[in-house]
């Protein structure tokens, strides 16, 4: 290839001897345009996302957090059968007999359902399933799939963030850091990915408004939990007593029992009279 300013071919320079200076100058410019090589532009990540290592790192992040969401979704929908199938018996804080603890907590008559005003395991299952869509969509580079991933992931994140309020009300403060760890990264990951790979300011502005709505919904849900807590104070205390007994007794809850093995529920009148 010939760079700008390289010698003009001999045939052109010979004919230039019979031309006026103005004609020669125009001819040299035309020849330079023909032989000029345009530099290759730098790679735009928005046009070739999969060519970036950062793209694959974000895919792994979505896969990791989406997998947690999918696992908890299966528990919400299918426990206690799902936990019994994976690891039957006592001893596990998540599987086995703990499936019956989840139903006691988030089932139709569970304290979490009473605080939310809806059946908790169904609501949480839907939120987690929407977020789990990012497990599949995150691998595709098209604009539509990138937006689907970014909009889906924060929905399951909202579930974990809302649980921060719930665990505070039920005296399980040790679970708050875990909920932050599972809830915040998918939101930050989505913002980072749109900023780097989509590069659409209008889409980013709309997405920021969407995240603000998610945050408002989480905050509103937390306020609702606190407002309803006073009316269900006895239910909360009963749940805490059942949970503490279950964990201290080796996570043992035999199928068919209303309460964990060895737990003696107080009489309704006596229990309520304590609070």
């Amino acid at each position: 290839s010939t760079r700008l300013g390289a010698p003009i071919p001999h045939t052109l320079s010979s004919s230039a001897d019979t031309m006026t200076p103005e004609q020669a100058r125009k001819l040299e410019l035309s020849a330079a345009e023909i032989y000029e090589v345009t530099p290759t532009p730098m790679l735009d990540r928005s046009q070739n996302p999969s060519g970036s290592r950062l793209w694959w790192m974000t895919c792994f992040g979505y896969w990791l957090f989406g997998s947690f969401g999918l696992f908890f979704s299966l528990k919400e929908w299918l426990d206690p059968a799902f936990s019994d199938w994976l690891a039957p018996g006592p001893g596990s804080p998540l599987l086995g007999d703990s499936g019956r603890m989840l139903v006691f907590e988030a089932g139709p008559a569970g304290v979490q359902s009473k605080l939310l005003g809806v059946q908790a395991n169904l609501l949480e299952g839907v939120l987690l399933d929407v977020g789990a869509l990012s497990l599949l969509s995150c691998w595709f580079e098209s604009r539509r799939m990138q937006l689907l991933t970014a909009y889906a992931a924060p929905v399951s994140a909202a579930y974990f963030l809302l649980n921060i309020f719930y665990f505070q009300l039920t005296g399980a403060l040790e679970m708050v850091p875990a909920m932050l760890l599972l809830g915040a990264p998918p939101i930050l990951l989505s913002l980072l990915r749109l900023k780097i790979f989509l590069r659409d300011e209008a889409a980013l502005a709309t997405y920021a408004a969407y995240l603000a709505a998610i945050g408002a919904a989480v905050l509103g849900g937390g306020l609702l939990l606190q407002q309803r807590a006073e009316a269900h104070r006895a239910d909360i205390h009963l749940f805490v007593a059942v949970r503490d007994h279950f964990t201290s007794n080796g996570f043992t809850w035999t199928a068919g029992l209303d309460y964990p093995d060895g737990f003696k529920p107080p009489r309704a009148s006596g229990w309520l009279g304590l609070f």
Side-chain angles (χ1 to χ4, degrees):
S1 60
T2 304
R3 301 188 307 274
L4 180 62
I8 305 302
H10 178 70
T11 55
L12 293 175
S13 60
S14 298
S15 60
D17 295 336
T18 62
M19 296 182 179
T20 65
E22 182 65 21
Q23 290 175 326
R25 188 182 66 82
K26 291 182 178 181
L27 182 60
E28 287 182 4
L29 290 175
S30 300
E33 291 176 357
I34 294 174
Y35 286 93
E36 181 181 5
V37 177
T38 303
T40 303
M42 294 182 64
L43 179 64
D44 186 350
R45 284 175 174 169
S46 65
Q47 296 178 4
N48 184 26
S50 61
S52 168
R53 182 179 300 177
L54 184 59
W55 168 266
W56 295 108
M57 291 175 63
T58 61
C59 287
F60 175 75
Y62 279 119
W63 176 84
L64 179 64
F65 290 103
S67 296
F68 279 111
L70 182 61
F71 169 74
F72 287 116
S73 168
L74 292 173
K75 282 182 60 64
E76 299 287 357
W77 289 113
L78 302 176
D79 267 354
F82 177 70
S83 292
D84 282 338
W85 174 68
L86 282 180
S92 170
L94 288 177
L95 300 174
D97 288 358
S98 292
R100 278 172 278 283
M101 185 70 215
L102 186 146
V103 174
F104 178 79
E105 177 180 14
V111 63
Q112 196 173 23
S113 299
K114 292 178 179 178
L115 290 175
L116 286 171
V118 295
Q119 189 168 330
N121 67 318
L122 299 183
L123 173 63
E124 293 166 354
V126 170
L127 295 177
L128 292 169
D129 282 343
V130 172
L133 291 174
S134 61
L135 270 172
L136 300 176
S137 60
C138 71
W139 305 98
F140 297 93
E141 302 176 17
S142 70
R143 172 187 171 86
R144 180 176 299 178
M145 285 300 182
Q146 288 194 55
L147 289 173
L148 174 60
T149 302
Y151 277 85
V155 176
S156 59
Y159 156 77
F160 294 112
L161 295 177
L162 181 59
N163 272 331
I164 291 175
F165 296 92
Y166 171 72
F167 285 125
Q168 288 177 329
L169 289 172
T170 55
L173 295 179
E174 69 278 3
M175 293 298 298
V176 171
M179 295 300 101
L180 279 172
L181 183 61
L182 291 171
I187 295 176
L188 298 176
L189 188 62
S190 297
L191 273 173
L192 174 69
R193 197 181 208 193
L194 288 185
K195 182 70 175 177
I196 294 177
F197 295 108
L198 194 62
R199 296 189 178 184
D200 185 330
E201 294 301 325
L204 278 173
T206 303
Y207 188 67
Y210 170 72
L211 290 182
I214 291 283
V218 171
L219 181 59
L223 294 175
L224 175 66
L225 290 174
Q226 293 178 343
Q227 182 183 14
R228 295 174 63 88
E230 184 61 28
H232 296 284
R233 192 157 54 97
D235 295 308
I236 293 174
H237 283 287
L238 174 61
F239 166 73
V240 171
V242 170
R243 183 191 63 199
D244 291 347
H245 175 86
F246 177 68
T247 55
S248 64
N249 195 40
F251 302 98
T252 304
W253 192 323
T254 301
L257 296 182
D258 293 332
Y259 295 99
D261 293 40
F263 181 79
K264 297 179 180 180
R267 295 178 181 179
S269 57
W271 181 262
L272 293 175
L274 294 176
F275 306 104

